[in-house]
């Protein structure tokens, strides 16, 4: 019997895997050369039991936080399932994008925050002095070979299943404790909302240190979905490889952030491939703000390869809610709200001027409300802080040496004040931006997203590489962008960008700054770090090539 999505604590990952093994499902992992290794769910279950026993013999105990540092591979997946079978707690560390992740400093911070007892890795030299005293380092193959051991007991759904680090877009990254039952239940509820079924095929390139990557793969696999995992590095090196894999495996399901759809659409426009996306039914767009122009381009360009118009599904969620909070229907076209036509019910904040994409309705058992500055509930159409209540909301944040810390001002009494500004309209959620990033000038809101979206339409600006941030003391925005070309063209681009923003935005930015490519601060999963960018701007630490005021 499958778990009730309204009760997140009913099934552990091993129990759900055991149930689904009788119905089918499989795991296919592609290596860097895109060669497949395929395992049935029964094989995954049997091997994970052996891995759990060997890890137990090596000294790993139920409840231990085990940090895993390795690229996407069969070995990584089998170790994760072995840890869940044992009842240990995986903490997947960033392996890709070392330039974006502050190198050893990030590793040391996450190992210390997790209170790691063990590190499993295929790259011992990279750890260096980052490993805290008392933490043991084991090779990635420690649980994949050697003598057998007694089979450990199966954990229940209340067992801690993951320490998931937040993206750290607005501050230091925090560890979120997610229970095994929440990992199973959140995806099961998402399947019910979007019409995903056992026997469907899901393709993912997403990194396993990101919540969308690990939760989606595990949650769908244990429900009998055929899961195909490709290396993250392959997508980063050649974005076209993602949709080629979706086409080759005739997948019904895939998922990625908004920026990945931008890259995939651009790749298809520049070098059209013979894709067959006619079986794709659920193309989830989440993990970062979903923009109207990306939705329009994706539907148009990918529709030319057979993707149904209703397949694109914007979602809203975060690590603190396990994964998904709301999801747009996979049966109808994406709803885009023109602010000129939206009902203007003013609360504490104003609607942005840009078109807003609906993130859909809450998952079964989840409740979304919008609140004013004093915590008062706001009616439909009024912008306020988004609050989430439901089985996916986690217990708190984790703090070394290992006890969950309830609250930190955001997770209280079973609900989460997300820090996001948004509104409800006809039962659907529209997200406007982050409360911390927004400033008010003359009683009107300035959202950094308004500036970023306009900036990315200017020829010469690298798509997905614009960060706007506020200067509260001056009540203005600064826009930092990566551009293309030499020094002369960069000076001209800075002036053109400033003029375009002055015409299109509510208030002209204080300054436009162009920096060298690949130097904008981002998280390990590629999200923009506005606060860090502002700090570097104020300290004169940006790699500036041109400015305009």
């Amino acid at each position: 019997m499958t778990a009730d999505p309204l009760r997140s604590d009913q099934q552990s990952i091993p129990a759900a895997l055991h149930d689904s093994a009788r119905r089918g499902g499989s795991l296919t992992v592609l290596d860097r050369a895109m060669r497949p290794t395929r395992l049935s769910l029964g094989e995954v279950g049997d091997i994970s039991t052996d891995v759990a026993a060997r890890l137990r013999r090596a000294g790993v105990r139920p409840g231990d936080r085990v940090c895993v540092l390795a690229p996407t591979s069969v070995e990584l997946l089998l170790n994760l399932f072995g840890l869940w079978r044992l009842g240990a707690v995986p903490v997947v560390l960033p392996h890709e994008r070392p330039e974006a992740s502050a190198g050893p400093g990030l590793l040391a911070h996450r190992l210390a925050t997790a209170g790691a007892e063990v590190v499993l890795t295929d790259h011992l030299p990279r750890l260096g002095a980052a490993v805290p005293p008392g933490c043991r380092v084991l090779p990635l193959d420690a649980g994949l070979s050697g003598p057998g051991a007694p089979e450990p007991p199966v954990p229940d759904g209340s067992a801690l299943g993951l320490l998931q680090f937040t993206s750290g877009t607005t501050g230091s990254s925090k560890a979120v404790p997610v229970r095994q039952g929440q990992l199973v239940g959140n995806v099961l509820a998402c399947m019910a909302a979007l019409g995903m079924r056992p026997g469907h095929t899901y393709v993912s390139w997403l990194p396993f240190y990101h919540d969308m990557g690990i939760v989606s793969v595990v949650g769908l696999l244990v429900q009998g979905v055929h899961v195909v995992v490709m290396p993250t590095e392959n997508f980063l090196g050649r974005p076209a490889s993602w949709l080629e894999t979706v086409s080759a495996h005739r997948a019904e399901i895939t998922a990625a952030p908004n920026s990945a759809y931008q890259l995939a659409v651009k790749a298809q426009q520049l070098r059209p491939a013979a894709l067959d996306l006619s079986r794709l039914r659920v193309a989830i767009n989440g993990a970062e703000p979903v923009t109207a122009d990306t939705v329009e381009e994706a539907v148009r360009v990918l529709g030319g390869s057979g993707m149904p118009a209703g397949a694109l599904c914007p979602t809203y969620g975060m690590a603190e809610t396990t994964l998904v909070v709301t999801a747009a229907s996979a049966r109808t076209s994406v709803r885009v709200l023109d602010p000129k036509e939206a009902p203007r019910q003013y609360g504490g904040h104003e609607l942005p001027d840009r078109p807003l994409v609906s993130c859909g309705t809450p998952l079964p058992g989840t409740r979304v409300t919008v609140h004013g500055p004093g915590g008062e509930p706001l009616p439909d159409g009024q912008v306020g802080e988004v609050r989430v209540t439901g089985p996916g909301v986690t217990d708190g944040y984790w703090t070394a040496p290992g006890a969950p810390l309830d609250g930190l001002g955001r997770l209280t009494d079973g609900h989460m004040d997300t820090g996001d500004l948004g509104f409800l309209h006809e039962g659907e959620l529209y997200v406007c931006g982050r409360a911390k990033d927004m400033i008010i000038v003359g009683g009107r809101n300035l959202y950094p997203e308004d500036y970023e979206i306009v900036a990315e339409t200017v020829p010469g600006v690298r798509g997905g590489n614009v960060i706007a941030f506020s200067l509260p003391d001056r009540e203005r925005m600064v826009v930092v962008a990566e551009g293309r070309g030499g020094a002369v063209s960069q000076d001209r681009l800075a002036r053109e960008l400033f003029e375009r923003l002055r015409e299109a935005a509510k208030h002209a930015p204080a300054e436009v700054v162009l920096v060298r490519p690949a130097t904008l601060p981002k998280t390990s999963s590629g999200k923009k770090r506005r606060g860090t960018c502002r700090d570097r701007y104020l300290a004169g630490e940006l790699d500036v090539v041109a400015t305009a005021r």
Side-chain angles (χ1 to χ4, degrees):
M1 183 178 69
T2 58
D4 181 345
L6 307 188
R7 291 187 58 192
S8 63
D9 61 347
Q10 283 190 337
Q11 273 199 315
S12 65
I13 291 169
L17 182 65
H18 178 267
D19 284 356
S20 292
R22 298 193 297 267
R23 303 199 308 266
S26 63
L27 171 65
T28 299
V29 182
L30 306 177
D31 65 12
R32 290 297 300 272
M34 302 299 276
R35 294 171 301 208
T37 298
R38 186 180 186 277
L39 298 170
S40 69
L41 292 197
E43 290 173 318
V44 173
D46 290 343
I47 296 172
S48 65
T49 298
D50 291 340
V51 171
R54 294 190 183 103
L55 289 175
R56 185 70 186 90
R57 182 183 288 276
V60 182
R61 300 161 300 178
D64 280 356
R65 275 82 62 200
V66 180
C67 289
V68 185
L69 178 64
T72 301
S73 64
V74 176
E75 292 76 17
L76 172 66
L77 268 295
L78 292 177
N79 270 288
L80 290 175
F81 278 96
L83 291 170
W84 285 315
R85 178 63 180 80
L86 177 58
V89 188
V91 190
V92 184
L93 302 175
H95 190 273
E96 302 85 5
R97 295 179 59 87
E99 76 284 354
S101 60
L106 177 78
L107 292 177
H109 165 73
R110 296 198 171 184
L111 287 168
T113 300
E117 283 97 355
V118 180
V119 176
L120 279 173
T121 184
D122 68 340
H123 197 52
L124 297 174
R126 182 174 171 186
L127 291 172
V131 180
C135 179
R136 296 186 302 118
V137 179
L138 296 176
L140 193 66
D141 61 2
L144 300 175
S145 60
E151 181 177 320
V154 178
D156 62 32
S158 66
L160 193 57
L162 183 68
L163 280 190
Q164 177 62 55
F165 278 88
T166 62
S167 60
T169 55
T170 59
S172 62
S173 181
K174 301 180 183 69
V176 178
V178 186
R179 302 191 182 279
Q180 288 204 21
Q182 289 177 307
L183 290 165
V184 174
N186 186 256
V187 176
L188 184 57
C190 192
M191 289 179 68
L194 295 178
M196 298 181 283
R197 301 190 305 273
H200 280 173
T201 297
Y202 170 59
V203 167
S204 175
W205 58 266
L206 298 164
F208 280 81
Y209 56 79
H210 192 280
D211 53 350
M212 183 185 269
I214 191 168
V215 178
S216 64
V217 165
V218 174
L220 290 171
L221 185 67
V222 301
Q223 296 302 330
V225 171
H226 298 287
V227 171
V228 179
V229 178
M230 59 179 284
T232 301
E233 299 93 333
N234 284 29
F235 169 78
L236 295 177
R238 198 171 71 86
S241 62
W242 168 33
L243 294 182
E244 290 172 359
T245 306
V246 172
S247 175
H249 289 266
R250 307 195 71 197
E252 289 90 356
I253 313 165
T254 195
N258 193 75
S259 57
Y261 283 93
Q262 290 176 324
L263 292 171
V265 166
K266 184 177 180 180
Q268 182 65 4
Q269 289 174 314
L270 292 175
R271 283 189 162 183
L275 302 175
D276 179 5
L277 304 179
S278 60
R279 289 178 63 90
L280 191 58
R281 291 294 178 269
V282 179
I284 293 172
N285 183 337
E288 59 190 32
V290 182
T291 58
D293 57 343
T294 299
V295 167
E296 180 182 345
E297 282 289 281
V299 169
R300 182 179 64 82
V301 174
L302 304 184
S305 297
M307 185 184 82
L312 198 64
C313 301
T315 63
Y316 171 73
M318 62 207 71
E320 292 93 334
T321 61
T322 303
L323 184 60
V324 180
V325 172
T326 67
S329 171
R331 293 174 288 277
T332 59
S333 298
V334 177
R335 296 184 66 177
V336 178
L337 190 64
D338 186 335
K340 299 182 181 64
E341 300 173 358
R344 292 274 175 166
Q345 297 187 29
Y346 295 104
H349 301 285
E350 187 180 351
L351 290 174
D353 281 339
R354 67 186 183 277
L356 294 172
V357 176
S358 167
C359 293
T361 57
L363 296 187
T366 297
R367 184 167 179 254
V368 174
T369 52
V370 176
H371 296 259
E376 70 279 10
L378 297 178
D380 278 16
Q382 289 196 12
V383 178
E385 185 172 4
V386 178
R387 176 178 293 178
V388 179
T389 308
V393 176
T394 56
D395 297 335
Y397 292 105
W398 188 272
T399 180
L405 179 64
D406 188 23
L408 296 187
R410 298 181 66 190
L411 293 161
T412 55
D413 298 328
H415 69 256
M416 179 190 179
D417 294 324
T418 65
D420 288 322
L421 295 176
F423 62 95
L424 293 167
H425 176 60
E426 297 181 353
E428 299 186 0
L429 177 65
Y430 293 79
V431 179
C432 301
R434 294 288 297 171
K436 285 186 177 180
D437 295 333
M438 187 270 294
I439 62 174
I440 300 176
V441 178
R444 304 196 70 190
N445 292 350
L446 297 185
Y447 292 94
E449 292 88 349
D450 291 344
Y451 292 82
E452 292 167 355
I453 290 170
V454 170
E456 290 188 19
T457 66
V458 177
V461 174
R462 299 183 71 220
N465 289 280
V466 179
I467 293 179
F469 52 82
S470 62
L471 296 176
D473 56 330
R474 297 175 59 185
E475 294 191 335
R476 286 292 185 271
M477 287 284 177
V478 171
V479 178
V480 182
E482 296 179 3
R484 301 184 180 90
V488 175
S489 63
Q490 293 277 288
D491 285 333
R492 183 169 58 249
L493 176 59
R495 292 193 298 272
E496 291 174 356
L497 182 52
F498 184 86
E499 291 300 320
R500 177 74 181 93
L501 289 168
R502 185 169 68 173
E503 294 170 0
K506 294 175 181 176
H507 294 268
E511 185 177 13
V512 164
V513 180
L514 293 185
V515 297
R516 296 191 188 280
T519 62
L520 280 179
K522 296 184 178 181
T523 69
S524 58
S525 56
K527 292 184 179 180
K528 303 171 183 179
R529 302 191 67 181
R530 295 192 181 99
T532 301
C533 193
R534 177 176 54 235
D535 293 344
R536 292 182 184 176
Y537 168 83
L538 294 172
E541 296 175 350
L542 292 174
D543 197 349
V544 178
V545 296
T547 62
R549 295 186 176 90

